[in-house]
Amino acid sequence: VQLVESGGGMVQPGGSLRLSCAASGFTFSSYDMSWVRQAPGKGPEWVSAINTGGGSTYYADSVKGRFTISRDNAKNTLYLQMNSLKPEDTALYYCARMTTGWGTFDGMDYWGKGTLVTVSS
């Protein structure tokens, strides 16, 4: 199993970024997927999740209305479109495969290495 995030970078407040997570080594379309972020000096925060078919999603209150999760099962890729970025969105963003229980980190069995998002003027 391999999850490789990309698309991070530095952006000004109010800007946008699109993160991607390329999955391999498993049947991507059979698993719910999540984005988790960890800001410097803080614990992990479950940001968003999507079910296998893309019809059910979850967003943390902190990103609701600004971030959009999506997936392309034909390309084995998970996405996170981030708009209206704020300095408090600065974090290392990870994609994770989910096995059981939405909202529990114990239910995420594989994680990527993360991509860094920095929001600063």
Side-chain angles (χ1 to χ4, degrees):
V1 173
Q2 191 170 17
L3 298 169
V4 180
E5 302 92 341
S6 62
M10 180 174 287
V11 63
Q12 292 186 340
S16 298
L17 284 175
R18 187 195 197 201
L19 306 185
S20 299
C21 172
S24 60
F26 67 103
T27 304
F28 178 71
S29 60
S30 295
Y31 288 86
D32 299 345
M33 298 293 296
S34 277
W35 287 99
V36 177
R37 69 184 180 185
Q38 187 161 15
K42 296 187 177 180
E45 177 187 14
W46 185 38
V47 173
S48 186
I50 189 167
N51 72 339
T52 55
S56 292
T57 57
Y58 161 83
Y59 297 96
D61 287 344
S62 57
V63 307
K64 201 171 293 182
R66 300 187 298 120
F67 290 11
T68 303
I69 191 171
S70 62
R71 65 190 297 161
D72 186 335
N73 286 340
K75 294 183 178 180
N76 293 339
T77 304
L78 177 72
Y79 302 101
L80 187 67
Q81 177 67 43
M82 305 187 297
N83 298 329
S84 302
L85 284 161
K86 304 175 181 180
E88 51 263 43
D89 294 317
T90 295
L92 194 58
Y93 284 72
Y94 301 90
C95 68
R97 190 178 81 168
M98 297 167 63
T99 55
T100 61
W102 282 40
T104 64
F105 296 124
D106 288 345
M108 300 176 191
D109 63 346
Y110 284 95
W111 297 58
K113 293 184 178 181
T115 185
L116 181 63
V117 172
T118 303
V119 185
S120 175
S121 54

